[in-house]
């Protein structure tokens, strides 16, 4: 079967192709390269170059003045120091008071004492023709132009030049007006800064008959005028017109005409967006000292934010008492209403699911850990002890404060249980847990056993929260990172290797970088040791110090030393076991006070002192933190250094001085108080307060007095500051750039296979927190398990 269609064979295809080729040959141009050039210009260009220069032509690149610089260089974006500057966040209220030199120490001072602590900024403007030097106020601005009609415009110009971009609203008042600053500031928070504000009390009938009717619509300066920053900006742009037309001596009219010409506000706004700036004018026959009780019954009086005119400074304080009492009553009423609403939510009057309120009311939710390393775990406890309080301890007794706190929490839980279940009686504690959240407070989970009236034992669970109080930022004095640090380095005879390493580290970190520091080495000689010649145990350290001082003499860096002869009581032979103690002073930490007493007289009272440890290493960032955290007359700094494990000995970690801190390489040694920074004057003042219990060491022979000191609780410098009750803060925090452990590292490097000494703090029945850990518990546990597996196999 054949399909129907055209019957074409190979001859037909040949004839068709021949005719098509003949047809195309007629229309194709004779030079076929014409088509190639139109399709491939790059190839055509190369062929033209070959025809012109020949086959051996090689192109050459012109690299002169290339690459060319950009016509418009890229400008680096300079970010402001504070985010409020970048976002344009401004303070709310600025108050300008027009006063005189005669009233600075009277009326102006009264305004300053009743308003300055309640507003963002206040300034007093006077004519400074004859400037006095006995002014009590410091925020005074004087104008040499004494023309009275121009005073408001001088004030406007000063405000616009200095504070226009920092504040939203500006209130101008005379020195005869009392201002309820709380009410004014609250009023400004209800106004939109997007509108032009020219608010106050209209003049109305306070002008003479010769003044125009339009002048009566201006704000009365005597009762205060509130401007928005946009109005002040427009007034500044038109000050020339305002000065030329400010011909009257009435400040209200001059200011009003200027505002009307410069802005779109034609008249005084007594109210705007439902907010009204009310003022109360006192009659001439009213005497506040006798009429205040009757005046306080007036409702309009209490609603007013500005009271005028006042001529007696005592009237300012009387009014301030009245309005402060009103604000206190308002706060009490708001607290009562808030408490009432809270009870309604608690008893179910308002659905908790709708409001999405978490328990307890008013306390933030627990913080959510960002990583598994930030988990805030619950701690198991009872009335006397805390179990697994840290990675270094399995059980610790509760402190006195913790014991009192837990007893109070337990009493609250029992009282609540008795009120809710009258027929049950407390028996004992089943289990108890607690957790401290820095954003919330202390949470307790209590499971208590109770007995019913039928002598049946039941368990009730309670969740108790002890929330944090109001958190405030503590203001501190301004400090810089340019302060010179005097580093005091005590070195004992058995610590020569670590002392030499510290001096070399000091050369590399401080002397080569010209850091503003000074090193004083304190050599602690034994009672029978030579201090001169070749037998001097510190001879090598002294030679190194002299070489470095000579080398960096032109840079101002030098190393000095002071020698201390210890009495026989503290001159015993060094014990091998002492290397396992955290402190370089071993069991005699009181010697740190003796070293400070004898070294400080050689460096002055205004010096920032850093008591160092020869077992430590540090970076330059650590010194900057010492400068920032140590404030003269205000704060001392006790950093918590990172104790490095002896990795080469234990083989549990890889030794690395520059690596970040980690659980595998060490731990923050909270029991080490060797490193502490303070100012010499603060130390001397605190030292004098404990002189009766800890005698001041004035020469080497006085060190013997420390053996029989009256206060056994003072063992180091930070204990001395605490016992002195000096008005100074003690800042203690972790410091990753302060590394400890050089002493134990050198000990294990001296012998290929050394034995691990027993810590003397354990043998003396002291807390093991003073001992050095050679590895983490997890690392030791894994090693024990691997050893047992190998032994069993």
């Amino acid at each position: 079967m054949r399909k129907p269609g055209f019957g074409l064979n190979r001859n037909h295809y040949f004839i068709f192709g021949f005719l098509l080729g003949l047809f195309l040959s007629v229309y194709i141009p004779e030079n076929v390269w014409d088509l190639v050039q139109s399709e491939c210009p790059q190839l055509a260009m190369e062929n033209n170059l070959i025809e012109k220069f020949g086959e051996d032509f090689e192109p050459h690149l012109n690299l002169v003045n290339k690459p060319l610089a950009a016509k418009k260089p890229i400008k680096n974006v300079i970010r402001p120091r504070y985010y409020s500057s970048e976002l344009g966040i401004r303070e709310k209220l600025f108050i300008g008071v027009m006063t005189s030199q005669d009233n600075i120490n009277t009326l102006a001072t009264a305004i300053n004492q009743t308003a300055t602590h309640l507003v963002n900024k206040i300034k007093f403007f006077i004519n400074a023709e004859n400037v006095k030097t006995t002014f009590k106020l410091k925020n005074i601005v004087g104008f040499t132009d004494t023309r009275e009609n121009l005073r408001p415009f001088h004030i406007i110009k000063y405000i616009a030049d200095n504070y226009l971009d920092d504040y939203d609203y500006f209130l101008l008042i005379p020195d005869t007006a009392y201002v309820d600053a709380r009410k004014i500031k609250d009023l400004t928070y209800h106004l939109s800064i997007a509108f032009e504000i020219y608010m106050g009390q209209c003049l109305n009938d306070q002008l003479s008959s010769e003044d125009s009717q339009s002048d009566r619509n201006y704000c009365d300066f005597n009762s205060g005028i509130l401007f928005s920053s946009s109005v002040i900006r427009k007034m500044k742009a038109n000050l020339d017109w305002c000065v030329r037309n400010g011909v009257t001596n009435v400040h209200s009219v001059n200011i009003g005409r200027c505002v009307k010409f410069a802005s779109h506000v034609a008249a005084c706004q007594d109210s705007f967006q439902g907010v009204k700036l009310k003022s109360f004018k006192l009659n001439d026959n009213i005497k506040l000292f006798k009429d205040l009780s009757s005046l306080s019954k007036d409702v309009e009086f209490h609603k007013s934010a500005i009271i005028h005119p006042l001529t007696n400074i005592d009237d300012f304080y009387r009014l301030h008492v009245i309005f402060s009492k009103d604000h206190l009553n308002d706060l009490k009423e708001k607290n009562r209403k808030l408490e009432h609403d809270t009870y309604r939510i608690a008893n179910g009057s308002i659905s908790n699911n709708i409001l999405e309120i978490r328990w307890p009311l008013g306390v933030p939710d627990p913080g959510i850990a960002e990583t598994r390393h930030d988990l805030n775990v619950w701690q198991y406890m009872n009335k006397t002890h805390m179990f697994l309080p840290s990675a270094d301890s399995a059980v610790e007794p509760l402190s006195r404060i913790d014991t009192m706190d837990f007893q109070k929490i337990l009493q609250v839980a029992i009282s609540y249980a008795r009120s809710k279940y009258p027929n049950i009686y407390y028996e004992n504690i089943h289990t108890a847990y607690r957790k401290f959240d820095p954003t919330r407070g202390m949470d307790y989970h209590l499971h208590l056993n109770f007995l019913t009236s039928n002598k049946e034992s039941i368990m009730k669970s309670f969740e108790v929260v002890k929330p944090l109080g109001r958190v405030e930022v503590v203001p501190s004095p301004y400090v810089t990172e340019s302060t010179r640090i005097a580093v005091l380095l005590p070195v004992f005879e058995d610590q020569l290797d670590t002392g030499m390493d510290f001096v070399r580290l000091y050369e590399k970190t401080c002397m080569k970088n010209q850091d503003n520091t000074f090193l004083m080495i304190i050599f602690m000689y034994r009672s029978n040791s030579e201090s001169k010649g070749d037998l001097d145990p510190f001879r090598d350290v002294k030679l190194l110090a002299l070489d470095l001082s000579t080398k960096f003499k032109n840079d101002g860096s030098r190393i000095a030393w002071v020698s201390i002869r210890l009495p026989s009581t503290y001159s015993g032979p060094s014990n091998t076991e002492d290397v396992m103690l955290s402190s370089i002073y071993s069991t005699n930490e009181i010697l740190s006070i003796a070293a400070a007493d004898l070294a400080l007289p050689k460096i002055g009272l205004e010096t920032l002192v850093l008591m160092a440890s020869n077992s430590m290493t540090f970076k330059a960032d650590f010194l900057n933190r010492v400068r920032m955290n140590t404030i003269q007359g205000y704060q001392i700094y006790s950093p918590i250094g990172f104790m490095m494990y002896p990795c080469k000995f234990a083989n549990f970690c890889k030794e690395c001085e520059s690596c970040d801190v980690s659980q595998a390489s060490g731990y923050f040694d909270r029991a080490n108080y060797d490193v502490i920074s303070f100012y010499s004057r603060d130390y001397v003042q605190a030292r004098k307060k404990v002189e009766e219990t800890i005698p001041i060491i004035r020469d080497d022979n006085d060190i013997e007095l420390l053996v029989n000191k009256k206060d056994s609780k003072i063992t180091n410098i930070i204990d001395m500051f605490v016992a002195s009750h000096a008005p100074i803060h003690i800042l203690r925090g972790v410091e990753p750039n302060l590394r400890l452990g050089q002493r134990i590292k050198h000990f294990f490097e001296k012998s290929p296979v050394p034995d691990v000494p027993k810590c003397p703090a354990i043998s003396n029945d002291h807390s093991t927190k003073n001992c050095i850990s050679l590895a983490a518990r997890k690392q030791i546990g894994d090693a024990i398990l691997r050893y047992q597996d190998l032994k069993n196999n």
Side-chain angles (χ1 to χ4, degrees):
M1 297 293 293
R2 295 182 63 186
K3 295 182 180 181
F6 298 100
L8 298 177
N9 54 26
R10 288 182 292 178
N11 294 330
H12 294 117
Y13 288 116
F14 173 75
I15 295 173
F16 178 76
F18 177 76
L19 294 175
L20 179 62
L22 183 63
F23 175 78
L24 294 175
S25 64
V26 176
Y27 289 97
I28 291 177
E30 295 181 1
N31 190 1
V32 70
W33 286 108
D34 293 341
L35 290 178
V36 176
Q37 290 177 1
S38 61
E39 296 294 332
C40 187
Q42 181 178 0
L43 183 61
M45 185 182 296
E46 292 178 359
N47 290 325
N48 291 334
L49 292 174
I50 292 174
E51 292 178 359
K52 185 176 181 180
F53 298 101
E55 293 287 344
D56 298 333
F57 171 74
E58 294 183 0
H60 297 278
L61 299 178
N62 183 13
L63 300 179
V64 179
N65 297 327
K66 294 182 176 58
L68 297 178
K71 295 182 179 179
K72 294 183 178 180
I74 301 176
K75 296 182 179 179
N76 295 328
V77 179
I78 301 176
R79 299 292 298 274
R81 183 174 184 178
Y82 304 103
Y83 72 87
S84 58
S85 302
E86 186 170 2
L87 298 178
I89 299 175
R90 297 181 290 192
E91 300 289 352
K92 211 64 183 174
L93 183 61
F94 175 98
I95 294 182
V97 183
M98 185 185 294
T99 182
S100 63
Q101 296 188 40
D102 296 333
N103 295 337
I104 281 292
N105 294 332
T106 55
L107 300 180
T109 300
I111 295 176
N112 185 69
Q113 292 182 351
T114 56
T116 187
H117 60 288
L118 302 173
V119 297
N120 304 115
K121 192 73 173 179
I122 187 170
K123 284 285 185 180
F124 297 89
F125 300 95
I126 64 173
N127 285 333
E129 183 180 4
N130 295 316
V131 180
K132 297 181 179 180
T133 59
T134 58
F135 294 151
K136 297 179 181 179
L137 298 182
K138 302 301 180 184
N139 47 350
I140 302 175
V141 179
F143 302 119
T144 56
D145 189 350
T146 59
R147 288 175 290 181
E148 188 65 22
N149 61 319
L150 299 183
R151 287 186 67 189
F153 305 125
H154 287 303
I155 296 174
I156 295 297
K157 186 179 186 306
Y158 177 84
I159 290 175
D161 291 341
N162 297 279
Y163 300 105
L164 188 59
D165 296 329
D166 298 331
Y167 299 91
D168 287 335
Y169 296 98
F170 301 85
L171 177 67
L172 297 185
I173 59 171
D175 57 6
T176 57
Y178 168 78
V179 179
D180 186 356
R182 294 187 182 92
K183 195 173 296 181
I184 294 288
K185 195 172 183 180
D186 182 66
L187 178 147
T188 58
Y189 279 102
H190 293 80
L191 292 174
S192 175
I193 193 58
F195 297 93
E196 296 180 353
I197 304 297
Y198 169 57
M199 183 180 292
Q201 191 76 30
C202 290
L203 284 172
N204 292 330
D205 58 348
Q206 300 180 29
L207 297 175
S208 61
S209 58
E210 60 185 18
D211 294 306
S212 64
Q213 184 64 33
S214 61
D215 292 343
R216 302 179 186 275
N217 294 327
Y218 298 144
C219 292
D220 183 12
F221 175 73
N222 295 321
S223 61
I225 305 176
L226 183 67
F227 301 92
S228 63
S229 57
S230 57
V231 172
I232 296 290
R233 181 175 285 105
K234 291 184 177 180
M235 291 177 68
K236 178 189 177 183
N238 296 274
L239 273 180
D240 292 338
W241 184 94
C242 297
V243 170
R244 290 195 305 268
N245 292 271
V247 295
T248 179
N249 288 328
V250 181
H251 297 320
S252 306
V253 175
N254 291 338
I255 294 174
R257 291 174 181 174
C258 184
V259 172
K260 183 178 180 180
F261 177 82
S263 67
H264 299 290
V265 183
C268 181
Q269 302 163 322
D270 58 348
S271 64
F272 188 80
Q273 296 181 336
V275 177
K276 187 172 184 179
L277 178 60
K278 294 184 178 181
S279 61
F280 191 90
K281 184 177 181 181
L282 300 174
N283 296 329
D284 296 337
N285 56 352
I286 289 181
K287 305 298 181 182
L288 286 182
F289 68 89
K290 63 179 181 178
D291 298 329
L292 188 58
S293 58
S294 59
L295 191 62
S296 60
K297 298 178 182 178
D298 191 343
V299 178
E300 294 299 324
F301 172 78
H302 288 278
K303 291 182 179 179
S304 300
I306 299 176
I307 309 297
H308 69 96
L310 301 177
T311 57
N312 190 348
I313 61 174
D314 293 334
D315 292 343
F316 284 90
Y317 303 119
R318 293 189 182 98
L319 293 174
H320 192 63
V321 171
I322 293 295
F323 285 98
S324 297
K325 185 178 180 181
D326 290 344
H327 286 289
L328 181 60
N329 292 334
D330 291 340
L331 288 177
K332 290 182 178 179
E333 179 62 24
K334 291 179 181 178
N335 289 339
R336 188 199 63 78
K337 186 177 181 301
L338 182 62
E339 186 177 0
H340 175 71
D341 294 341
T342 303
Y343 286 133
R344 289 182 60 200
I345 297 172
N347 60 24
S349 300
I350 302 178
S351 175
N352 193 13
N353 294 329
I354 297 176
L355 299 179
E356 297 182 356
I357 295 178
R358 303 290 187 268
W359 185 90
L361 300 175
V363 178
D365 294 339
I368 301 176
E370 296 182 358
T371 63
R372 62 185 179 89
H373 302 289
D374 299 329
L375 292 178
N376 194 3
V377 298
W378 290 89
Q379 294 179 326
Y380 176 64
M381 61 182 301
N382 57 22
K383 287 185 177 181
T384 59
H385 289 78
M386 181 74 65
F387 300 91
L388 295 178
S390 63
D392 302 325
S393 179
V395 58
E396 286 185 2
L398 293 178
S399 64
R400 182 180 62 87
I401 300 299
D402 289 338
T403 302
M404 295 173 58
D405 185 63
F406 182 70
Q407 290 177 352
K408 184 177 180 179
I409 295 297
L410 185 60
Q411 292 175 0
V412 171
I414 295 172
S415 300
Y416 176 80
R418 291 293 303 273
S419 62
K420 191 171 184 179
Y421 309 102
N423 297 325
I424 64 175
Y425 303 93
Y426 171 73
E427 185 178 9
N428 53 35
I429 300 176
H430 183 272
T431 51
Y433 301 88
R434 81 171 187 182
K435 178 178 69 173
F436 177 73
D437 192 324
T439 63
R440 173 181 171 92
M442 188 73 76
D443 287 278
Y444 288 89
H445 279 177
L446 304 178
H447 307 284
L448 308 180
N449 293 325
F450 292 87
L451 291 176
T452 63
S453 56
N454 298 328
K455 302 300 181 181
E456 295 180 359
S457 179
I458 60 173
M459 186 179 68
K460 295 289 184 181
S461 298
F462 303 90
E463 183 177 355
V464 185
V465 179
K466 188 177 180 182
L468 293 173
R470 182 183 177 185
V471 179
E472 298 182 0
V473 177
V474 179
S476 61
Y478 177 75
V479 293
T480 64
E481 294 183 352
S482 60
T483 308
R484 184 177 179 85
I485 300 179
V487 182
L488 303 186
L489 180 69
V491 180
F492 291 85
E493 292 186 14
D494 59 336
Q495 301 169 3
L496 296 178
D497 47 0
T498 54
M500 293 285 287
D501 287 348
F502 184 92
V503 175
R504 295 188 184 99
L505 174 66
Y506 179 79
E507 175 199 4
K508 178 181 177 182
T509 306
C510 299
M511 303 184 78
K512 287 186 177 181
N513 296 327
Q514 298 184 9
D515 199 303
N516 193 15
T517 57
F518 160 70
L519 177 62
M520 175 176 284
I521 308 176
I522 306 175
F523 296 122
M524 313 291 281
Y525 284 92
R526 292 172 181 166
S527 58
N528 55 355
S529 298
E530 294 289 339
S531 59
K532 295 181 180 180
D534 296 336
L535 298 179
D536 186 354
F538 299 108
R539 177 176 176 274
D540 294 339
V541 183
K542 292 180 179 179
L543 292 176
L544 178 60
L546 290 174
D547 292 341
L548 294 179
S549 297
T550 304
K551 180 179 179 181
F552 296 95
K553 181 179 180 180
N554 296 330
D555 297 334
S557 299
R558 65 189 185 92
I559 302 176
W561 67 74
V562 61
S563 300
I564 296 178
R565 178 75 62 178
L566 297 176
S568 58
T569 308
Y570 297 107
S571 299
S574 59
N575 297 323
T576 305
E577 297 177 346
D578 290 344
V579 75
M580 297 301 297
L581 292 173
S582 176
S583 174
I584 62 171
Y585 304 97
S586 300
T587 57
N588 300 320
E589 291 185 72
I590 194 66
L591 292 178
S592 61
I593 298 179
D597 286 351
L598 295 173
L600 289 184
K602 302 180 182 299
I603 59 177
L605 289 178
E606 305 300 328
T607 308
L608 172 57
V609 178
L610 172 63
M611 288 293 296
S613 168
N614 56 65
S615 183
M616 79 180 200
T617 59
F618 62 94
K619 299 180 181 179
D621 290 344
F622 166 67
L623 297 179
N624 288 333
R625 258 187 290 278
V626 168
R627 294 183 177 99
M628 298 300 293
N629 293 329
T630 311
I631 307 173
Q632 186 172 8
Y634 185 81
Q635 182 172 278
I636 66 173
Y637 180 45
S638 175
I640 302 176
F642 187 75
M643 181 66 71
M644 304 288 292
Y645 292 137
C647 298
K648 291 184 178 180
F649 169 73
N651 292 324
F652 289 143
C653 56
K654 184 178 180 180
E655 187 170 332
C656 179
E657 292 291 341
S658 59
C659 297
D660 294 336
V661 298
S662 66
Q663 295 180 350
S665 59
Y667 62 97
F668 286 103
D669 191 359
R670 292 177 294 176
N672 191 303
Y673 298 95
D674 291 349
V675 183
I676 184 173
S677 61
F678 50 83
Y679 275 87
S680 299
R681 187 177 297 277
D682 296 334
Y683 178 89
V684 171
Q685 292 176 353
R687 191 70 176 88
K688 289 179 179 179
K689 294 182 178 181
V690 296
E691 183 177 3
E692 295 184 358
T693 55
I694 305 294
I696 296 179
I697 309 302
R698 293 181 171 85
D699 54 46
D700 296 350
N701 296 327
D702 293 340
I703 301 178
E704 191 73 31
L705 301 176
L706 298 177
V707 179
N708 299 320
K709 62 181 186 301
K710 296 181 181 179
D711 193 345
S712 59
K713 295 181 179 180
I714 301 179
T715 59
N716 48 48
I717 294 178
I718 195 170
D719 290 341
M720 185 273 296
F721 274 102
V722 173
S724 67
H725 300 288
I728 192 168
H729 295 87
I730 299 176
L731 176 62
R732 184 155 171 81
V734 295
E735 179 50 63
N737 288 330
L738 174 62
R739 307 292 174 91
L740 304 173
Q742 293 299 308
R743 185 183 181 192
I744 189 71
K745 173 185 173 182
H746 280 283
F747 173 78
F748 286 119
E749 289 178 350
K750 289 180 180 179
S751 177
V753 188
D755 295 330
V756 180
K758 184 179 180 181
C759 181
I762 301 178
S763 61
N764 295 336
D765 198 22
H766 293 162
S767 174
T768 57
K769 66 181 182 179
N770 295 324
C771 300
I772 292 178
S773 298
L774 302 181
R777 292 193 173 195
K778 180 180 181 301
Q779 295 171 335
I780 297 175
D782 292 342
I784 293 175
L785 292 176
R786 290 196 301 269
Y787 174 77
Q788 291 179 347
D789 291 341
L790 292 174
K791 186 177 180 180
N792 294 333
N793 294 333

